[in-house]
């Protein structure tokens, strides 16, 4: 086998590979002889078909098949011999494929770039230092109470977080329009589910009152005939309801798995959950800064093959998410444009190559203790954490995913140890509201 290597441009490589004629011709002859034993052709007994008849009928197809197999084998032998790492599948171009002559073909492909991670000490990270205060706990308890609240009718004027039941009729230039009328319509205030300006005049209304609401439909409103139009709604409020917050008592505690109803145990459980979410948020924020700093200081050429693979993966993930949200089937969804995913794909490929080099250069090995900790953290959010832990450990694919996450975290921690880190005091709400 003869091999010549040519760099065409950037990461593209072109291998011209020549395979000896005798190996191809012998393989073709052998395959035709096998066919002669199995093919049924009128006028010949089974297994007695002359090879020249088989050659005439199947020769070209067999040679194409043998050539395809030979190119695959020859390519992998060539890249092993030349110590080349392809970044994607090759494109083959057959140059010479004639009986009695050497088979010659060209394989075009991309290689991985040479990656050198530099300027780690230029990475800047603001590391938030956050303490969960009693006030933060009180605010979280209020949030939990609202999540489990009911509604009760009140006779007072409405407030911005109340729920109103109403009839309304909408008009444009004094004429009713389609879709602008409703009866016994229930509106939970403060959720911004109506067109801009609709809720504000309703704050302060009482049951039995009529309110005139004047609004202008947005220019991007979904109904073409209403875009940008000024409208007037006559609203008759029939009921005002306020949130009926549950008391923080034994029954409330039992809603969160505190079987004995102990309030102190509930507070401890809530604080523990808050701390877990905070730790995850802070870790993610630090990691994002480290990764962004790494990208800013290290620009690398990217194999288009890897970018295309990542685009396809992101596109498939998006389809899966959309199908789950809409309750449909993935195969029924249209193909999303690749352009939507290219930027994110390029970033992810860059991150993978750079972190891969950090791992390789520093000879990092998977920290099993970190893998265990990651699994336990993921499991802690479930009702039976131990069952989740056992499930992870029994699933090779999930374990591999966790090992990959652990290795990535180890690389980020190494980069963080060499970066410029500044601790900044932050409030719990500031961090968590930013995440939301």
């Amino acid at each position: 086998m003869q091999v010549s290597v040519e760099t065409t441009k950037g990461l593209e490589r072109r291998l011209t590979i020549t395979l000896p004629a005798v190996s191809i011709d012998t393989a073709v002859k052998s395959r035709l002889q096998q066919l002669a034993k199995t093919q049924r052709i009128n006028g010949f007994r089974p297994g007695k078909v002359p090879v020249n008849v088989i050659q005439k009928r199947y020769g070209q197809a067999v040679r194409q098949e043998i050539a395809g197999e030979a190119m695959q084998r020859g390519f992998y032998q060539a890249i092993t011999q030349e110590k080349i790492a392809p970044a994607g599948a090759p494109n083959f171009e057959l140059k010479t494929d004639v009986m009695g002559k050497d088979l010659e073909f060209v394989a075009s492909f991309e290689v991985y770039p040479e990656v050198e991670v530099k300027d780690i000490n230029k990475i800047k990270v603001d590391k938030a230092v956050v303490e969960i205060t009693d006030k933060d706990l009180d605010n979280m308890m209020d949030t939990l109470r609202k999540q489990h609240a009911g509604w009760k009718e009140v006779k007072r004027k409405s407030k911005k977080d109340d729920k109103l039941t109403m009839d309304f009729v909408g008009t444009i230039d004094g004429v009713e329009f389609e879709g602008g009328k409703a009866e016994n319509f229930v509106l939970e205030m403060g959720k911004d589910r109506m067109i801009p300006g609709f809720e504000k005049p309703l704050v302060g209304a009482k049951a039995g009152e009529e309110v005139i609401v004047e609004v202008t439909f947005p220019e991007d409103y979904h109904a073409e005939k209403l875009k940008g139009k000024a409208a007037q709604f006559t609203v008759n409020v029939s009921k005002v309801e306020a949130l009926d917050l549950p008391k923080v008592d034994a029954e409330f505690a039992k809603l969160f798995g505190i079987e004995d109803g102990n309030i102190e145990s509930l507070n401890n459980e809530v604080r523990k959950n808050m701390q877990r979410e905070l730790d995850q948020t802070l870790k993610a924020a630090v990691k994002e800064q480290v990764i962004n700093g790494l990208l800013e200081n290290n620009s690398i050429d990217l194999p288009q093959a890897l970018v295309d693979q990542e685009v396809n993966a992101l596109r498939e993930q998006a389809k899966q998410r959309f199908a789950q949200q809409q309750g449909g089937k993935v195969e029924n969804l249209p193909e999303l444009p690749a352009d939507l995913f290219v930027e994110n794909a390029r970033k992810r490929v860059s991150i993978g190559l750079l972190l891969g080099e950090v791992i390789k250069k520093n000879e990092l090995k998977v920290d099993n203790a970190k893998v265990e900790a990651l699994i336990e953290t993921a499991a802690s959010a479930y009702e039976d954490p131990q069952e989740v832990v056992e499930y992870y450990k029994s699933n090779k694919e999930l374990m591999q995913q966790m090992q990959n996450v652990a290795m990535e975290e180890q690389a980020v921690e190494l980069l963080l140890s060499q970066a410029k880190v500044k601790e900044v005091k932050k409030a719990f709400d500031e961090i968590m509201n930013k995440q939301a």
Side-chain angles (χ1 to χ4, degrees):
M1 181 177 72
Q2 297 177 356
V3 180
S4 66
V5 184
E6 178 187 358
T7 299
T8 50
K9 61 177 180 178
L11 301 174
E12 294 179 5
R13 298 292 182 272
R14 179 182 170 95
L15 292 184
T16 300
I17 302 171
T18 304
L19 302 176
V22 63
S23 65
I24 306 300
D25 294 345
T26 299
V28 171
K29 183 177 179 181
S30 176
R31 187 73 55 87
L32 290 173
Q33 288 173 343
Q34 291 174 7
L35 283 174
K37 296 176 182 179
T38 60
Q39 293 302 303
R40 292 181 177 273
I41 297 179
N42 292 336
F44 299 96
R45 287 181 295 164
K48 299 297 183 178
V49 183
V51 172
N52 65 325
V53 174
I54 294 293
Q55 164 71 38
K56 185 176 181 181
R57 178 169 292 194
Y58 300 108
Q60 185 176 359
V62 167
R63 188 166 189 89
Q64 287 177 349
E65 187 178 289
I66 294 296
E69 294 171 358
M71 286 191 291
Q72 290 285 351
R73 286 196 305 272
F75 173 72
Y76 287 109
Q77 290 173 3
I79 60 175
T80 301
Q81 173 184 305
E82 301 297 326
K83 297 180 180 179
I84 297 173
N91 291 318
F92 292 135
E93 181 185 355
L94 193 56
K95 291 294 187 180
T96 304
D97 181 24
V98 180
M99 187 174 180
K101 290 188 177 181
D102 291 344
L103 184 145
E104 183 182 73
F105 69 97
V106 172
S108 302
F109 56 95
E110 292 176 294
V111 296
Y112 283 92
E114 292 185 8
V115 180
E116 179 186 1
V117 179
K118 58 184 186 299
D119 294 334
I120 298 175
N121 59 352
K122 292 183 180 180
I123 298 174
K124 296 180 181 179
V125 176
D126 285 344
K127 189 176 182 180
V129 178
V130 183
E131 178 186 354
I132 298 176
T133 65
D134 290 341
K135 183 179 179 182
D136 294 326
L137 179 60
D138 290 341
N139 290 339
M140 181 57 69
M141 293 300 290
D142 286 341
T143 298
L144 295 176
R145 290 174 69 201
K146 288 178 181 178
Q147 290 173 355
H148 291 80
W151 295 94
K152 65 177 180 180
E153 188 172 356
V154 294
K155 300 302 181 182
R156 58 167 171 75
K157 293 181 178 181
S158 66
K159 297 180 180 180
K160 63 179 181 179
D161 294 326
D162 288 343
K163 184 166 73 173
L164 306 184
T165 301
M166 67 187 76
D167 300 336
F168 61 76
V169 177
T171 60
I172 295 177
D173 297 329
V175 180
E176 288 186 30
F177 57 89
E178 185 179 354
K181 184 177 182 179
E183 294 181 353
N184 294 319
F185 183 83
V186 177
L187 172 63
E188 191 173 338
M189 306 275 276
K191 301 295 185 181
D192 293 327
R193 290 173 181 164
M194 303 296 281
I195 58 177
F198 189 92
E199 290 186 15
K200 188 175 180 181
L202 297 174
V203 176
K206 294 178 68 175
E209 289 186 350
E210 181 178 282
V211 180
I212 301 300
V213 175
E214 295 184 350
V215 296
T216 300
F217 283 93
E219 293 292 342
D220 59 352
Y221 194 67
H222 61 83
E224 188 68 32
K225 293 181 179 180
L226 300 178
K227 290 181 177 181
K229 294 291 182 68
Q232 184 181 85
F233 287 86
T234 300
V235 180
N236 287 288
V237 179
S238 58
K239 186 193 296 185
V240 177
E241 295 175 273
L243 275 174
D244 186 16
L245 298 176
K247 294 180 180 179
V248 180
D249 55 16
E251 290 303 314
F252 185 72
K254 289 178 181 179
L255 294 174
F256 299 91
I258 310 299
E259 296 301 331
D260 62 2
N262 186 281
I263 302 304
E264 185 177 351
S265 298
L266 173 63
N267 287 335
N268 290 338
E269 184 67 21
V270 172
R271 187 184 285 271
K272 185 174 73 174
N273 291 337
M274 291 171 67
Q275 188 66 56
R276 183 181 68 244
E277 291 182 17
L278 174 63
D279 291 343
Q280 291 174 350
T281 301
L282 294 178
K283 182 194 286 188
V286 167
K287 179 181 177 180
E288 183 179 12
Q289 293 179 76
V290 170
I291 293 297
N292 288 339
L294 182 66
L295 293 172
E296 288 171 7
N297 291 291
N298 293 274
S299 178
I300 55 177
D301 291 333
L302 301 179
Q304 188 59 43
L306 294 186
V307 175
D308 290 342
Q309 289 174 23
E310 197 63 38
V311 165
N312 290 334
L314 290 170
R315 183 156 50 184
E316 186 59 30
Q317 289 170 14
K319 285 174 66 176
Q320 294 283 355
R321 285 195 302 271
F322 188 76
Q324 290 174 358
Q325 292 169 359
Q326 302 299 318
K329 294 182 179 180
V330 174
E331 54 267 27
N332 294 334
L333 295 176
E335 199 69 68
L336 297 169
D339 291 349
L340 295 175
F341 307 97
V342 170
E343 184 178 352
N344 195 17
R346 290 183 63 83
K347 182 176 181 179
R348 288 175 59 154
V349 171
S350 295
I351 292 169
L353 292 172
L354 289 168
L355 290 182
E357 180 60 23
V358 171
I359 291 168
K360 178 182 174 183
K361 183 177 180 180
N362 294 277
E363 299 181 348
L364 297 181
K365 304 296 181 185
V366 176
D367 183 345
N368 291 326
K370 180 175 282 294
V371 175
E372 294 276 349
L374 286 169
I375 293 173
E376 288 175 4
T377 298
S380 65
Y382 292 85
E383 187 174 344
D384 188 347
Q386 189 55 40
E387 182 180 346
V388 177
V389 170
E390 294 302 324
Y391 179 70
Y392 266 89
K393 291 184 177 180
S394 65
N395 188 305
K396 289 184 178 181
E397 185 177 344
L398 287 176
M399 283 299 293
Q400 184 61 56
Q401 289 176 7
M402 276 302 182
Q403 289 169 356
N404 293 342
V405 172
M407 185 64 80
E408 185 176 282
E409 286 198 0
Q410 289 171 235
V412 170
E413 288 168 3
L414 188 147
L415 293 170
L416 183 63
S417 69
Q418 300 177 43
K420 293 180 179 178
V421 180
K422 181 175 69 174
E423 292 190 345
V424 182
K425 281 193 172 185
K426 297 280 186 179
F428 177 83
D429 279 350
E430 183 182 358
I431 295 296
M432 301 310 289
N433 289 340
K434 184 178 180 181
Q435 179 198 29

